Amino acid sequence: MPELQVIARYTVAGGNEDEVLALLSDLAAASRAEPGNRAFVVYRQLDDPRGIVLLERYASREAFADHRETPHFRDLVLGRIVPLLDSRVVELYDAE
């Protein structure tokens, strides 16, 4: 079964950059502690401080589905981060 690579691209609504980065730091720490998580790294775009990319790796599609059911995902991502974004695109790739 292949691992799953997730690329999440966020555009933060102006003025919310510091708050989103702080929340993402908490999310990354909690996500890295999940048994199915292999990596979770946050990158900030060099030429646009509102652009953020998350590179996440999971042991399987099921591990990613489990991630999306965690309290930290529901609270931090859905409850607190998404409302501070102008856009959010999530791409999923099988990693061989």
Side-chain angles (χ1 to χ4, degrees), residues 50-72:
R50 296 178 3 158
I52 295 174
V53 172
L54 310 180
L55 297 182
E56 307 170 46
R57 178 72 67 107
Y58 294 90
S60 63
R61 292 179 185 185
E62 291 77 18
F64 179 62
D66 291 345
H67 163 72
R68 294 176 64 96
E69 295 298 322
T70 61
H72 55 266

Side-chain angles (χ1 to χ4, degrees), residues 8-12 17 20-21 24 42-45 48-54:
R9 301 175 193 278
Y10 293 175
T11 302
V12 180
E17 297 89 351
V20 169
L21 287 171
L24 286 172
V42 178
Y43 295 93
R44 193 167 189 182
Q45 190 172 332
D48 182 358
R50 296 178 3 158
I52 295 174
V53 172
L54 310 180

